[in-house]
Short mmCIF file of all heavy atoms in Angstrom, two decimals:
data_model
loop_
_atom_site.label_atom_id
_atom_site.label_comp_id
_atom_site.label_asym_id
_atom_site.label_seq_id
_atom_site.Cartn_x
_atom_site.Cartn_y
_atom_site.Cartn_z
N HIS A 22 -54.91 37.77 -5.42
CA HIS A 22 -56.19 37.20 -4.99
C HIS A 22 -57.32 37.93 -5.72
O HIS A 22 -57.40 39.16 -5.69
CB HIS A 22 -56.37 37.34 -3.48
CG HIS A 22 -57.72 36.86 -3.03
ND1 HIS A 22 -58.06 35.53 -3.02
CD2 HIS A 22 -58.82 37.55 -2.63
CE1 HIS A 22 -59.32 35.41 -2.62
NE2 HIS A 22 -59.79 36.62 -2.37
N LEU A 23 -58.14 37.18 -6.39
CA LEU A 23 -59.26 37.77 -7.11
C LEU A 23 -60.56 37.46 -6.39
O LEU A 23 -60.82 36.31 -6.01
CB LEU A 23 -59.35 37.19 -8.54
CG LEU A 23 -58.20 37.52 -9.47
CD1 LEU A 23 -58.38 36.81 -10.80
CD2 LEU A 23 -58.10 39.02 -9.69
N ASP A 24 -61.36 38.47 -6.20
CA ASP A 24 -62.68 38.30 -5.61
C ASP A 24 -63.66 38.09 -6.75
O ASP A 24 -64.07 39.06 -7.42
CB ASP A 24 -63.05 39.52 -4.78
CG ASP A 24 -64.44 39.42 -4.18
OD1 ASP A 24 -65.06 38.32 -4.25
OD2 ASP A 24 -64.92 40.44 -3.65
N LEU A 25 -64.03 36.83 -6.99
CA LEU A 25 -64.91 36.54 -8.12
C LEU A 25 -66.34 37.03 -7.89
O LEU A 25 -67.16 37.01 -8.81
CB LEU A 25 -64.89 35.04 -8.44
CG LEU A 25 -63.54 34.53 -8.94
CD1 LEU A 25 -63.60 33.02 -9.18
CD2 LEU A 25 -63.09 35.25 -10.19
N ASP A 26 -66.63 37.48 -6.66
CA ASP A 26 -67.95 38.07 -6.38
C ASP A 26 -67.98 39.55 -6.76
O ASP A 26 -69.05 40.16 -6.76
CB ASP A 26 -68.31 37.90 -4.90
CG ASP A 26 -68.57 36.44 -4.54
OD1 ASP A 26 -69.12 35.71 -5.41
OD2 ASP A 26 -68.24 36.05 -3.41
N ASP A 27 -66.83 40.11 -7.10
CA ASP A 27 -66.75 41.49 -7.55
C ASP A 27 -67.58 41.64 -8.82
O ASP A 27 -67.52 40.80 -9.73
CB ASP A 27 -65.28 41.83 -7.83
CG ASP A 27 -65.07 43.29 -8.19
OD1 ASP A 27 -65.94 43.88 -8.85
OD2 ASP A 27 -64.01 43.83 -7.81
N GLY A 28 -68.35 42.69 -8.93
CA GLY A 28 -69.26 42.91 -10.05
C GLY A 28 -68.62 42.92 -11.42
O GLY A 28 -69.27 42.60 -12.41
N ARG A 29 -67.34 43.26 -11.49
CA ARG A 29 -66.71 43.32 -12.81
C ARG A 29 -66.57 41.95 -13.46
O ARG A 29 -66.31 41.84 -14.65
CB ARG A 29 -65.35 44.01 -12.75
CG ARG A 29 -64.33 43.28 -11.92
CD ARG A 29 -63.06 44.07 -11.79
NE ARG A 29 -62.27 43.51 -10.71
CZ ARG A 29 -61.00 43.75 -10.55
NH1 ARG A 29 -60.37 44.54 -11.38
NH2 ARG A 29 -60.35 43.23 -9.55
N TRP A 30 -66.74 40.87 -12.68
CA TRP A 30 -66.63 39.52 -13.23
C TRP A 30 -67.98 38.98 -13.67
O TRP A 30 -68.08 37.85 -14.14
CB TRP A 30 -66.00 38.58 -12.20
CG TRP A 30 -64.64 39.02 -11.80
CD1 TRP A 30 -64.26 39.50 -10.59
CD2 TRP A 30 -63.47 39.06 -12.62
NE1 TRP A 30 -62.93 39.83 -10.60
CE2 TRP A 30 -62.42 39.57 -11.84
CE3 TRP A 30 -63.21 38.72 -13.94
CZ2 TRP A 30 -61.13 39.75 -12.33
CZ3 TRP A 30 -61.91 38.89 -14.42
CH2 TRP A 30 -60.90 39.40 -13.62
N GLU A 31 -69.03 39.78 -13.55
CA GLU A 31 -70.36 39.32 -13.96
C GLU A 31 -70.51 39.24 -15.47
O GLU A 31 -71.31 38.47 -15.98
CB GLU A 31 -71.44 40.23 -13.37
CG GLU A 31 -71.59 40.06 -11.88
CD GLU A 31 -72.65 40.98 -11.29
OE1 GLU A 31 -73.46 41.53 -12.05
OE2 GLU A 31 -72.65 41.11 -10.06
N ASP A 32 -69.76 40.04 -16.20
CA ASP A 32 -69.82 40.02 -17.66
C ASP A 32 -69.08 38.78 -18.16
O ASP A 32 -67.87 38.67 -18.03
CB ASP A 32 -69.19 41.29 -18.24
CG ASP A 32 -69.27 41.35 -19.76
OD1 ASP A 32 -69.77 40.39 -20.40
OD2 ASP A 32 -68.83 42.37 -20.32
N ILE A 33 -69.83 37.85 -18.73
CA ILE A 33 -69.26 36.59 -19.18
C ILE A 33 -68.15 36.79 -20.20
O ILE A 33 -67.21 36.01 -20.29
CB ILE A 33 -70.35 35.63 -19.71
CG1 ILE A 33 -69.82 34.22 -19.89
CG2 ILE A 33 -70.93 36.15 -21.02
CD1 ILE A 33 -69.43 33.53 -18.62
N HIS A 34 -68.22 37.87 -20.96
CA HIS A 34 -67.20 38.14 -21.98
C HIS A 34 -65.84 38.47 -21.36
O HIS A 34 -64.81 38.17 -21.94
CB HIS A 34 -67.66 39.26 -22.91
CG HIS A 34 -68.93 38.92 -23.63
ND1 HIS A 34 -68.99 37.95 -24.61
CD2 HIS A 34 -70.19 39.38 -23.49
CE1 HIS A 34 -70.23 37.85 -25.05
NE2 HIS A 34 -70.98 38.69 -24.38
N VAL A 35 -65.87 39.06 -20.17
CA VAL A 35 -64.61 39.36 -19.46
C VAL A 35 -63.96 38.04 -19.04
O VAL A 35 -62.76 37.83 -19.24
CB VAL A 35 -64.87 40.26 -18.23
CG1 VAL A 35 -63.61 40.38 -17.38
CG2 VAL A 35 -65.37 41.63 -18.66
N VAL A 36 -64.76 37.14 -18.49
CA VAL A 36 -64.24 35.86 -18.01
C VAL A 36 -63.75 35.02 -19.19
O VAL A 36 -62.64 34.47 -19.15
CB VAL A 36 -65.31 35.11 -17.19
CG1 VAL A 36 -64.79 33.75 -16.77
CG2 VAL A 36 -65.71 35.93 -15.97
N THR A 37 -64.56 34.90 -20.22
CA THR A 37 -64.15 34.08 -21.36
C THR A 37 -62.95 34.69 -22.09
O THR A 37 -62.08 33.97 -22.56
CB THR A 37 -65.31 33.86 -22.35
OG1 THR A 37 -65.81 35.14 -22.78
CG2 THR A 37 -66.44 33.08 -21.72
N GLY A 38 -62.92 36.01 -22.17
CA GLY A 38 -61.77 36.68 -22.78
C GLY A 38 -60.49 36.42 -21.99
O GLY A 38 -59.43 36.20 -22.57
N ALA A 39 -60.62 36.42 -20.67
CA ALA A 39 -59.45 36.15 -19.81
C ALA A 39 -58.97 34.71 -20.01
O ALA A 39 -57.76 34.46 -20.06
CB ALA A 39 -59.80 36.41 -18.35
N LEU A 40 -59.91 33.78 -20.13
CA LEU A 40 -59.53 32.38 -20.34
C LEU A 40 -58.78 32.22 -21.66
O LEU A 40 -57.71 31.61 -21.71
CB LEU A 40 -60.77 31.48 -20.33
CG LEU A 40 -60.51 29.99 -20.58
CD1 LEU A 40 -59.70 29.39 -19.43
CD2 LEU A 40 -61.83 29.25 -20.76
N LYS A 41 -59.33 32.79 -22.70
CA LYS A 41 -58.68 32.68 -24.02
C LYS A 41 -57.32 33.38 -24.00
O LYS A 41 -56.34 32.85 -24.54
CB LYS A 41 -59.59 33.27 -25.10
CG LYS A 41 -59.03 33.07 -26.48
CD LYS A 41 -59.96 33.59 -27.54
CE LYS A 41 -59.26 33.55 -28.89
NZ LYS A 41 -59.88 34.37 -29.88
N LEU A 42 -57.24 34.55 -23.37
CA LEU A 42 -55.98 35.28 -23.28
C LEU A 42 -54.93 34.47 -22.52
O LEU A 42 -53.77 34.42 -22.92
CB LEU A 42 -56.20 36.63 -22.60
CG LEU A 42 -54.96 37.51 -22.45
CD1 LEU A 42 -54.40 37.91 -23.81
CD2 LEU A 42 -55.29 38.75 -21.62
N PHE A 43 -55.36 33.81 -21.45
CA PHE A 43 -54.43 32.97 -20.68
C PHE A 43 -53.77 31.94 -21.58
O PHE A 43 -52.56 31.79 -21.60
CB PHE A 43 -55.16 32.28 -19.52
CG PHE A 43 -54.33 31.22 -18.85
CD1 PHE A 43 -53.36 31.56 -17.93
CD2 PHE A 43 -54.52 29.88 -19.16
CE1 PHE A 43 -52.57 30.57 -17.33
CE2 PHE A 43 -53.75 28.90 -18.55
CZ PHE A 43 -52.78 29.24 -17.64
N PHE A 44 -54.59 31.22 -22.35
CA PHE A 44 -54.04 30.17 -23.22
C PHE A 44 -53.23 30.76 -24.37
O PHE A 44 -52.22 30.18 -24.78
CB PHE A 44 -55.15 29.25 -23.74
CG PHE A 44 -55.61 28.27 -22.70
CD1 PHE A 44 -56.80 28.45 -22.03
CD2 PHE A 44 -54.83 27.17 -22.37
CE1 PHE A 44 -57.20 27.56 -21.05
CE2 PHE A 44 -55.22 26.27 -21.40
CZ PHE A 44 -56.42 26.46 -20.73
N ARG A 45 -53.63 31.90 -24.89
CA ARG A 45 -52.90 32.51 -26.00
C ARG A 45 -51.53 33.03 -25.54
O ARG A 45 -50.57 33.02 -26.30
CB ARG A 45 -53.71 33.65 -26.62
CG ARG A 45 -53.08 34.22 -27.86
CD ARG A 45 -53.94 35.22 -28.61
NE ARG A 45 -54.38 36.32 -27.78
CZ ARG A 45 -55.66 36.62 -27.53
NH1 ARG A 45 -56.63 35.90 -28.05
NH2 ARG A 45 -55.99 37.63 -26.77
N GLU A 46 -51.43 33.47 -24.29
CA GLU A 46 -50.19 34.06 -23.79
C GLU A 46 -49.20 33.04 -23.22
O GLU A 46 -48.10 33.41 -22.84
CB GLU A 46 -50.52 35.12 -22.71
CG GLU A 46 -51.26 36.32 -23.25
CD GLU A 46 -50.45 37.14 -24.24
OE1 GLU A 46 -49.25 37.34 -23.99
OE2 GLU A 46 -51.01 37.56 -25.26
N LEU A 47 -49.58 31.77 -23.16
CA LEU A 47 -48.64 30.77 -22.68
C LEU A 47 -47.41 30.74 -23.59
O LEU A 47 -47.55 30.86 -24.81
CB LEU A 47 -49.29 29.38 -22.67
CG LEU A 47 -50.36 29.12 -21.61
CD1 LEU A 47 -51.02 27.75 -21.86
CD2 LEU A 47 -49.78 29.17 -20.21
N PRO A 48 -46.22 30.56 -23.03
CA PRO A 48 -45.03 30.50 -23.87
C PRO A 48 -45.09 29.36 -24.89
O PRO A 48 -44.57 29.49 -26.00
CB PRO A 48 -43.88 30.28 -22.90
CG PRO A 48 -44.44 30.41 -21.53
CD PRO A 48 -45.93 30.41 -21.62
N GLU A 49 -45.70 28.27 -24.49
CA GLU A 49 -45.93 27.15 -25.41
C GLU A 49 -47.42 26.82 -25.32
O GLU A 49 -47.98 26.79 -24.24
CB GLU A 49 -45.09 25.95 -25.02
CG GLU A 49 -45.25 24.79 -26.00
CD GLU A 49 -44.18 23.72 -25.82
OE1 GLU A 49 -44.00 23.24 -24.70
OE2 GLU A 49 -43.54 23.39 -26.83
N PRO A 50 -48.06 26.59 -26.46
CA PRO A 50 -49.51 26.33 -26.42
C PRO A 50 -49.85 25.03 -25.69
O PRO A 50 -48.98 24.22 -25.39
CB PRO A 50 -49.90 26.25 -27.90
CG PRO A 50 -48.65 26.14 -28.67
CD PRO A 50 -47.52 26.55 -27.81
N LEU A 51 -51.14 24.85 -25.44
CA LEU A 51 -51.61 23.64 -24.77
C LEU A 51 -51.15 22.40 -25.54
O LEU A 51 -50.72 21.41 -24.95
CB LEU A 51 -53.13 23.65 -24.62
CG LEU A 51 -53.73 22.52 -23.80
CD1 LEU A 51 -53.19 22.53 -22.37
CD2 LEU A 51 -55.24 22.60 -23.81
N VAL A 52 -51.25 22.43 -26.85
CA VAL A 52 -50.66 21.37 -27.68
C VAL A 52 -49.24 21.86 -27.98
O VAL A 52 -49.06 22.83 -28.72
CB VAL A 52 -51.45 21.14 -28.97
CG1 VAL A 52 -50.70 20.18 -29.90
CG2 VAL A 52 -52.84 20.61 -28.67
N PRO A 53 -48.23 21.22 -27.40
CA PRO A 53 -46.85 21.71 -27.56
C PRO A 53 -46.45 21.79 -29.03
O PRO A 53 -46.96 21.06 -29.87
CB PRO A 53 -46.02 20.65 -26.83
CG PRO A 53 -46.96 19.97 -25.90
CD PRO A 53 -48.31 20.02 -26.57
N PHE A 54 -45.52 22.70 -29.30
CA PHE A 54 -45.03 22.87 -30.66
C PHE A 54 -44.57 21.55 -31.26
O PHE A 54 -44.78 21.28 -32.44
CB PHE A 54 -43.87 23.88 -30.70
CG PHE A 54 -44.26 25.28 -30.32
CD1 PHE A 54 -43.59 25.95 -29.31
CD2 PHE A 54 -45.29 25.94 -30.97
CE1 PHE A 54 -43.94 27.24 -28.96
CE2 PHE A 54 -45.66 27.23 -30.63
CZ PHE A 54 -44.98 27.89 -29.61
N SER A 55 -43.97 20.70 -30.43
CA SER A 55 -43.46 19.41 -30.92
C SER A 55 -44.57 18.49 -31.41
O SER A 55 -44.31 17.54 -32.14
CB SER A 55 -42.68 18.71 -29.81
OG SER A 55 -43.53 18.45 -28.69
N HIS A 56 -45.81 18.75 -31.01
CA HIS A 56 -46.94 17.90 -31.40
C HIS A 56 -47.79 18.50 -32.52
O HIS A 56 -48.68 17.84 -33.04
CB HIS A 56 -47.84 17.65 -30.18
CG HIS A 56 -47.29 16.65 -29.21
ND1 HIS A 56 -46.15 16.87 -28.48
CD2 HIS A 56 -47.75 15.43 -28.86
CE1 HIS A 56 -45.92 15.83 -27.71
NE2 HIS A 56 -46.88 14.94 -27.91
#
């Protein structure tokens, strides 16, 4: 459970970095290898 009101989430770079990291770390990308 993440408390998004926690001050560490105020830095937009942390949030955007986490979003990009999430997609980069997926076993298969959003556009599947087959595509």
